[in-house]
């Protein structure tokens, strides 16, 4: 007999997995990331998304086969995104066949008892929009709202959980400041203009969705890193930590939830009205320990330097920390806005699956403890279901519960897939499950 009690989840807790159109569908040739990945030197392994996980092709039916696997695993929900470049391949053209395929996919989920959560923008832009300036175009907000309206009118009967934009600050920062994604710019001004436009687009799209589908749940998905000074008492570390948190986290939260848009260098942006969001989506991939460093202007002079005792990811993300307590802090911060929270992404790249079981268990334990302390967390979406194409990391960082060979499209469930199935069946983290899958974590999980 063990002395530990199970950590139980609420009875209607939504256990899920998250995916994104470009990373899964395959042959998304009409967007700016496809163009980018075909430029020399942009993707670390020189790979292209190609067929990705081959979810688009209806005849081969690989999405449907994965949904069978999701059903067998007990998944209650699946997050996927609609590809703007498919449903609106040209400014004045909409593609009903693409809508039909999305309807098939959403229906296939419903038939398996899996509730879809649909994201409208997950990093990629139609080529025509990119040519018009992308998120710097003066009319981008209107264009996004038109697209959102169209999708919701066509798919609204099959979806009642909408994420407008995935990780706007990550998109703005990586595309317009680090220059690592299309259009490859390195400009603070552009970064904040894009952030301001995305905040406005979110608020306006949420309003449009509610007009058409008043009962729908609508939210923004925000990557929430927790920022801490590397040297807690060092004034310069504290100063730059504050800058990073304000500019990466707080400004857009203020814009969206309070109607105060104060992005530096983006004076043109009008203040959006405070949004009427139904939920907050948190993506969590670890904390940042910030050390003042004059050589790092692009991070506002704050270098992410993990403390010596920190547990780290493997290469190529060896500078990322593993810290489930940070997830609990992120939930606490966001739950204070008084809206339900979904963990819309959390995951680890771990091809051998030696570390993922403990990762999954400790992060889910953090979620459970946040709920027990009063946070209204409705669901958790593991990133991701089947290994998919990871942007500039190409195929080098497999996150899946199920391994994929992109050449043969063969799927092999990892041990973590069985763990997730058992957790869902128990609706709890039980001592038996921990003993079976990650015995080394038993004290960490139950004595936290
Ligand atoms: C998130 C993205 C998702 C995937 C994971 C690993 O920032 O939303 O598409 O790249 O990271």
């Amino acid at each position: 007999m063990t002395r530990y009690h199970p950590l139980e989840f609420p009875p209607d807790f939504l256990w899920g997995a998250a995916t994104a159109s470009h990373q899964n569908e395959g042959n998304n040739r009409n967007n700016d990331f496809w163009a980018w990945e075909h430029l020399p030197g942009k993707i670390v392994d020189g790979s292209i998304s190609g067929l990705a996980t081959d979810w688009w092709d209806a005849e081969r039916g690989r999405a449907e086969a994965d949904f069978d696997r999701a059903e067998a695993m007990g998944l209650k929900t699946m997050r996927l995104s609609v590809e703007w470049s498919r449903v609106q391949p040209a400014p004045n053209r909409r593609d009903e066949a693409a809508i039909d395929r999305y309807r098939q996919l959403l229906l296939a989920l419903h038939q398996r008892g899996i509730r879809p959560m649909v994201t409208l923008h997950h990093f990629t832009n139609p080529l025509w929009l990119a040519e018009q300036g992308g998120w710097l175009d003066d009319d981008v907000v209107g264009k996004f709202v038109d697209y959102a309206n169209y999708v919701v009118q066509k798919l609204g009967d099959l979806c009642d959980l909408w994420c407008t934009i995935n990780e706007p600050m990550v998109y703005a920062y990586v595309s317009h400041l680090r220059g690592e994604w299309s259009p490859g710019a390195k400009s603070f001004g552009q970064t904040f203009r894009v952030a301001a436009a995305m905040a406005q687009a979110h608020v306006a799209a949420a309003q449009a969705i509610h007009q058409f589908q008043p009962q729908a749940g609508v939210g923004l998905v925000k990557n929430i890193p927790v920022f801490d000074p590397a040297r807690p008492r060092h004034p310069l570390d504290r100063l730059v930590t504050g800058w990073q948190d304000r500019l990466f986290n707080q400004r857009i939260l203020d814009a969206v939830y309070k109607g105060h848009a104060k992005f530096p260098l983006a004076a043109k942006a009008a203040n959006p009205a405070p949004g009427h969001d139904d939920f907050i989506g948190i993506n969590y991939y670890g904390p940042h320990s910030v050390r003042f460093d004059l050589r790092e202007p692009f991070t506002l002079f704050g270098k992410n330097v993990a403390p010596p005792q920190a547990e780290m990811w493997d290469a190529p993300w060896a500078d990322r920390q593993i810290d489930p307590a940070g997830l609990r802090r992120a939930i606490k911060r966001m739950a204070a806005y008084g809206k339900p929270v979904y963990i819309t992404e959390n995951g680890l790249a771990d091809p051998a699956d030696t570390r993922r079981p403990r990762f999954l268990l400790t992060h889910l334990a953090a979620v459970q403890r946040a709920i027990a302390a009063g946070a209204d967390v409705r669901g958790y979406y593991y990133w991701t279901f089947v290994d998919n194409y990871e942007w500039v990391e190409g195929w080098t960082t497999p996150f899946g519960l199920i391994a994929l060979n992109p050449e043969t499209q063969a799927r092999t469930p990892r041990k973590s897939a069985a763990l997730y199935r058992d957790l869902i069946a128990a609706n709890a983290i039980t001592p038996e499950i921990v003993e079976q899958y990650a015995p080394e974590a038993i004290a960490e999980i139950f004595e936290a």
Side-chain angles (χ1 to χ4, degrees):
M1 272 295 286
T2 156
R3 64 201 168 90
Y4 296 122
H5 296 294
L7 303 179
E8 286 172 4
F9 286 81
D12 46 2
F13 190 72
L14 287 177
W15 297 86
T19 68
S21 55
H22 191 73
Q23 296 176 272
N24 286 74
E25 291 174 355
N27 280 324
N28 265 321
R29 294 164 182 267
N30 195 22
N31 72 31
D32 55 353
F33 206 90
W34 180 274
W36 189 252
E37 72 199 39
H38 283 77
L39 298 176
K42 300 298 188 195
I43 309 298
V44 297
D45 58 353
S47 67
I48 58 161
S49 54
L51 274 185
T53 67
D54 198 20
W55 274 18
W56 192 250
D57 189 280
E59 269 171 37
R60 288 190 292 273
R62 290 208 166 96
E64 285 84 346
D66 281 336
F67 298 168
D68 286 341
R69 296 179 180 96
E71 182 184 13
M73 208 182 277
L75 251 59
K76 312 282 181 233
T77 181
M78 178 83 83
R79 177 173 172 233
L80 47 80
S81 72
V82 167
E83 175 64 34
W84 188 349
S85 64
R86 283 199 193 274
V87 302
Q88 193 177 359
N92 299 316
R93 195 151 63 82
R94 285 172 172 162
D95 186 349
E96 290 284 335
I99 290 290
D100 287 346
R101 178 63 181 145
Y102 283 118
R103 290 192 63 82
Q104 268 182 355
L105 292 171
L106 298 183
L107 260 174
L109 287 171
H110 283 292
Q111 282 159 0
R112 291 158 178 81
I114 299 172
R115 182 175 176 193
M117 173 185 264
V118 174
T119 309
L120 292 167
H121 186 275
H122 198 122
F123 296 158
T124 52
N125 300 302
L127 271 180
W128 58 263
L129 179 67
E131 278 155 18
Q132 294 171 355
W135 285 88
L136 294 167
D137 171 46
D138 284 340
D139 296 326
V140 67
V141 172
K143 290 169 185 168
F144 180 71
V145 173
D146 281 351
Y147 152 70
N149 254 321
Y150 176 65
V151 172
V152 172
Q153 289 180 24
K154 293 289 179 181
L155 305 180
D157 58 323
L158 296 174
C159 176
D160 61 359
L161 279 178
W162 298 99
C163 304
T164 53
I165 300 180
N166 181 68
E167 299 189 347
M169 293 311 299
V170 169
Y171 172 77
Y173 175 71
V174 181
S175 303
H176 292 270
L177 192 61
R178 288 179 67 99
E180 289 174 5
W181 296 347
S182 176
K186 295 191 175 176
S187 152
F188 275 105
Q190 286 191 18
T191 303
F192 294 126
R193 277 172 62 202
V194 167
M198 286 189 146
Q200 274 185 292
H202 161 75
V203 173
Q207 222 164 32
I209 296 170
H210 278 138
Q211 259 164 27
F212 184 77
Q213 202 184 348
Q215 77 290 3
V218 187
L220 181 77
V221 169
K222 175 75 181 81
N223 177 313
I224 302 285
V226 288
F227 294 100
D228 291 309
R231 295 162 294 185
R233 273 189 285 278
H234 197 288
L236 290 173
D237 288 6
R238 293 166 70 105
L239 179 75
V240 292
T241 301
W243 288 351
Q244 286 194 357
D245 186 68
R246 267 199 298 288
L247 289 173
F248 193 85
N249 286 333
Q250 199 56 48
R251 287 276 150 91
I252 191 152
L253 300 176
D254 286 348
V256 166
Y257 302 124
K258 299 209 179 338
H260 303 148
K262 280 195 236 124
F263 293 98
L265 311 170
K268 267 175 59 191
N271 272 349
H276 299 282
D277 292 30
D278 306 285
F279 68 84
I280 293 178
I282 298 177
N283 288 1
Y284 177 76
Y285 287 97
H288 290 234
S289 305
V290 186
R291 190 184 172 106
F292 176 73
D293 189 331
L294 264 182
R295 291 163 302 186
E296 300 277 329
F298 281 169
T299 57
L300 307 164
F301 306 108
K303 191 174 164 67
N304 182 14
V305 185
Q309 73 279 10
E311 193 184 341
M312 307 305 290
W313 291 46
D314 295 318
W317 277 327
D319 60 340
R320 288 193 179 192
Q321 299 176 44
I322 296 181
D323 178 27
L327 175 55
R328 193 164 161 193
R329 288 168 63 198
I331 293 171
K332 190 168 175 207
R333 176 178 185 169
M334 301 311 288
Y337 287 95
K339 300 175 195 302
V341 166
Y342 292 88
I343 309 306
T344 36
E345 286 180 33
N346 173 235
L348 182 72
D350 177 26
D353 205 42
T354 49
R355 310 179 72 191
R356 188 180 286 102
R358 173 164 158 258
F359 177 96
L360 201 46
L361 286 162
T362 51
H363 285 75
L364 279 163
V367 173
Q368 196 275 348
R369 296 216 185 259
I371 296 172
D376 183 8
V377 186
R378 303 275 173 96
Y380 172 91
Y381 293 78
Y382 179 76
W383 182 275
T384 185
F385 191 65
V386 179
D387 292 344
N388 61 15
Y389 187 70
E390 183 50 43
W391 311 113
V392 293
E393 274 72 32
W395 290 102
T396 64
T397 53
F399 279 84
L401 297 170
I402 298 175
L404 173 79
N405 177 334
E407 255 129 62
T408 62
Q409 288 291 322
R411 270 89 167 141
T412 313
R414 296 191 166 99
K415 180 167 107 176
S416 292
L419 163 60
Y420 208 45
R421 177 202 62 205
D422 290 356
L423 287 168
I424 297 171
N427 201 39
I429 302 174
T430 67
E432 293 76 17
I433 291 176
V434 180
E435 285 292 356
Q436 183 180 348
Y437 292 96
E440 72 280 11
I442 194 106
E444 186 183 359
I445 286 167
F446 291 104
E447 292 170 22

mmCIF file of all heavy atoms in Angstrom, residues 59-75:
data_model
loop_
_atom_site.group_PDB
_atom_site.id
_atom_site.type_symbol
_atom_site.label_atom_id
_atom_site.label_comp_id
_atom_site.label_asym_id
_atom_site.label_seq_id
_atom_site.Cartn_x
_atom_site.Cartn_y
_atom_site.Cartn_z
ATOM 1 N N GLU A 59 -7.997 10.927 -49.351
ATOM 2 C CA GLU A 59 -7.990 9.517 -49.796
ATOM 3 C C GLU A 59 -7.066 8.654 -48.955
ATOM 4 O O GLU A 59 -7.413 7.546 -48.558
ATOM 5 C CB GLU A 59 -7.571 9.428 -51.261
ATOM 6 C CG GLU A 59 -8.776 9.499 -52.166
ATOM 7 C CD GLU A 59 -8.390 9.624 -53.618
ATOM 8 O OE1 GLU A 59 -7.375 8.998 -54.027
ATOM 9 O OE2 GLU A 59 -9.095 10.366 -54.321
ATOM 10 N N ARG A 60 -5.883 9.180 -48.703
ATOM 11 C CA ARG A 60 -4.987 8.393 -47.845
ATOM 12 C C ARG A 60 -5.510 8.352 -46.412
ATOM 13 O O ARG A 60 -5.256 7.396 -45.686
ATOM 14 C CB ARG A 60 -3.561 8.966 -47.890
ATOM 15 C CG ARG A 60 -2.857 8.701 -49.230
ATOM 16 C CD ARG A 60 -1.378 9.052 -49.181
ATOM 17 N NE ARG A 60 -1.128 10.478 -49.050
ATOM 18 C CZ ARG A 60 -1.042 11.336 -50.068
ATOM 19 N NH1 ARG A 60 -1.188 10.903 -51.310
ATOM 20 N NH2 ARG A 60 -0.813 12.625 -49.862
ATOM 21 N N GLY A 61 -6.209 9.403 -46.015
ATOM 22 C CA GLY A 61 -6.917 9.379 -44.726
ATOM 23 C C GLY A 61 -6.022 9.257 -43.501
ATOM 24 O O GLY A 61 -6.411 8.672 -42.496
ATOM 25 N N ARG A 62 -4.836 9.824 -43.602
ATOM 26 C CA ARG A 62 -3.930 9.675 -42.443
ATOM 27 C C ARG A 62 -4.391 10.507 -41.242
ATOM 28 O O ARG A 62 -4.125 10.138 -40.098
ATOM 29 C CB ARG A 62 -2.493 10.048 -42.837
ATOM 30 C CG ARG A 62 -1.879 9.015 -43.771
ATOM 31 C CD ARG A 62 -0.356 8.943 -43.639
ATOM 32 N NE ARG A 62 0.137 7.749 -44.286
ATOM 33 C CZ ARG A 62 0.609 7.699 -45.540
ATOM 34 N NH1 ARG A 62 0.655 8.795 -46.272
ATOM 35 N NH2 ARG A 62 1.030 6.561 -46.044
ATOM 36 N N ALA A 63 -5.071 11.609 -41.495
ATOM 37 C CA ALA A 63 -5.611 12.367 -40.353
ATOM 38 C C ALA A 63 -6.650 11.511 -39.643
ATOM 39 O O ALA A 63 -6.627 11.370 -38.412
ATOM 40 C CB ALA A 63 -6.239 13.673 -40.837
ATOM 41 N N GLU A 64 -7.538 10.912 -40.431
ATOM 42 C CA GLU A 64 -8.603 10.098 -39.834
ATOM 43 C C GLU A 64 -8.006 8.924 -39.055
ATOM 44 O O GLU A 64 -8.489 8.570 -37.980
ATOM 45 C CB GLU A 64 -9.559 9.600 -40.924
ATOM 46 C CG GLU A 64 -10.505 10.681 -41.463
ATOM 47 C CD GLU A 64 -9.920 11.574 -42.560
ATOM 48 O OE1 GLU A 64 -8.679 11.567 -42.764
ATOM 49 O OE2 GLU A 64 -10.705 12.298 -43.216
ATOM 50 N N ALA A 65 -6.942 8.336 -39.614
ATOM 51 C CA ALA A 65 -6.302 7.224 -38.897
ATOM 52 C C ALA A 65 -5.676 7.717 -37.591
ATOM 53 O O ALA A 65 -5.719 7.026 -36.566
ATOM 54 C CB ALA A 65 -5.244 6.564 -39.797
ATOM 55 N N ASP A 66 -5.116 8.929 -37.626
ATOM 56 C CA ASP A 66 -4.582 9.487 -36.369
ATOM 57 C C ASP A 66 -5.722 9.791 -35.390
ATOM 58 O O ASP A 66 -5.551 9.624 -34.178
ATOM 59 C CB ASP A 66 -3.759 10.750 -36.644
ATOM 60 C CG ASP A 66 -2.353 10.422 -37.160
ATOM 61 O OD1 ASP A 66 -1.868 9.295 -36.880
ATOM 62 O OD2 ASP A 66 -1.747 11.271 -37.840
ATOM 63 N N PHE A 67 -6.860 10.214 -35.913
ATOM 64 C CA PHE A 67 -7.994 10.476 -35.017
ATOM 65 C C PHE A 67 -8.484 9.163 -34.388
ATOM 66 O O PHE A 67 -8.954 9.160 -33.249
ATOM 67 C CB PHE A 67 -9.137 11.189 -35.740
ATOM 68 C CG PHE A 67 -8.785 12.560 -36.290
ATOM 69 C CD1 PHE A 67 -9.646 13.216 -37.173
ATOM 70 C CD2 PHE A 67 -7.601 13.208 -35.930
ATOM 71 C CE1 PHE A 67 -9.330 14.472 -37.679
ATOM 72 C CE2 PHE A 67 -7.271 14.467 -36.437
ATOM 73 C CZ PHE A 67 -8.145 15.097 -37.323
ATOM 74 N N ASP A 68 -8.379 8.067 -35.140
ATOM 75 C CA ASP A 68 -8.687 6.751 -34.530
ATOM 76 C C ASP A 68 -7.745 6.497 -33.351
ATOM 77 O O ASP A 68 -8.168 6.029 -32.293
ATOM 78 C CB ASP A 68 -8.488 5.615 -35.542
ATOM 79 C CG ASP A 68 -9.591 5.566 -36.598
ATOM 80 O OD1 ASP A 68 -10.677 6.148 -36.355
ATOM 81 O OD2 ASP A 68 -9.361 4.947 -37.659
ATOM 82 N N ARG A 69 -6.468 6.808 -33.569
ATOM 83 C CA ARG A 69 -5.491 6.608 -32.484
ATOM 84 C C ARG A 69 -5.816 7.519 -31.295
ATOM 85 O O ARG A 69 -5.686 7.119 -30.134
ATOM 86 C CB ARG A 69 -4.071 6.906 -32.981
ATOM 87 C CG ARG A 69 -3.603 5.948 -34.067
ATOM 88 C CD ARG A 69 -2.183 6.278 -34.566
ATOM 89 N NE ARG A 69 -1.826 5.317 -35.597
ATOM 90 C CZ ARG A 69 -1.968 5.529 -36.913
ATOM 91 N NH1 ARG A 69 -2.387 6.698 -37.369
ATOM 92 N NH2 ARG A 69 -1.673 4.573 -37.780
ATOM 93 N N ALA A 70 -6.240 8.737 -31.617
ATOM 94 C CA ALA A 70 -6.577 9.683 -30.534
ATOM 95 C C ALA A 70 -7.781 9.174 -29.746
ATOM 96 O O ALA A 70 -7.826 9.266 -28.517
ATOM 97 C CB ALA A 70 -6.865 11.062 -31.122
ATOM 98 N N GLU A 71 -8.744 8.616 -30.476
ATOM 99 C CA GLU A 71 -9.926 8.071 -29.799
ATOM 100 C C GLU A 71 -9.527 6.909 -28.889
ATOM 101 O O GLU A 71 -9.948 6.816 -27.729
ATOM 102 C CB GLU A 71 -10.962 7.605 -30.831
ATOM 103 C CG GLU A 71 -12.234 7.075 -30.184
ATOM 104 C CD GLU A 71 -13.234 6.517 -31.194
ATOM 105 O OE1 GLU A 71 -12.861 6.311 -32.378
ATOM 106 O OE2 GLU A 71 -14.391 6.268 -30.797
ATOM 107 N N ALA A 72 -8.665 6.032 -29.426
ATOM 108 C CA ALA A 72 -8.227 4.882 -28.625
ATOM 109 C C ALA A 72 -7.461 5.340 -27.385
ATOM 110 O O ALA A 72 -7.478 4.680 -26.343
ATOM 111 C CB ALA A 72 -7.364 3.953 -29.483
ATOM 112 N N MET A 73 -6.774 6.478 -27.514
ATOM 113 C CA MET A 73 -6.027 7.016 -26.371
ATOM 114 C C MET A 73 -6.968 7.669 -25.359
ATOM 115 O O MET A 73 -6.567 7.956 -24.231
ATOM 116 C CB MET A 73 -5.029 8.056 -26.898
ATOM 117 C CG MET A 73 -3.779 8.222 -26.077
ATOM 118 S SD MET A 73 -2.735 9.536 -26.795
ATOM 119 C CE MET A 73 -1.873 8.651 -28.067
ATOM 120 N N GLY A 74 -8.181 7.949 -25.784
ATOM 121 C CA GLY A 74 -9.162 8.548 -24.869
ATOM 122 C C GLY A 74 -9.229 10.063 -24.947
ATOM 123 O O GLY A 74 -9.886 10.706 -24.116
ATOM 124 N N LEU A 75 -8.557 10.656 -25.948
ATOM 125 C CA LEU A 75 -8.541 12.118 -26.045
ATOM 126 C C LEU A 75 -9.959 12.684 -26.087
ATOM 127 O O LEU A 75 -10.822 12.158 -26.790
ATOM 128 C CB LEU A 75 -7.789 12.556 -27.316
ATOM 129 C CG LEU A 75 -6.425 13.199 -27.109
ATOM 130 C CD1 LEU A 75 -5.494 12.266 -26.376
ATOM 131 C CD2 LEU A 75 -5.807 13.608 -28.427
#
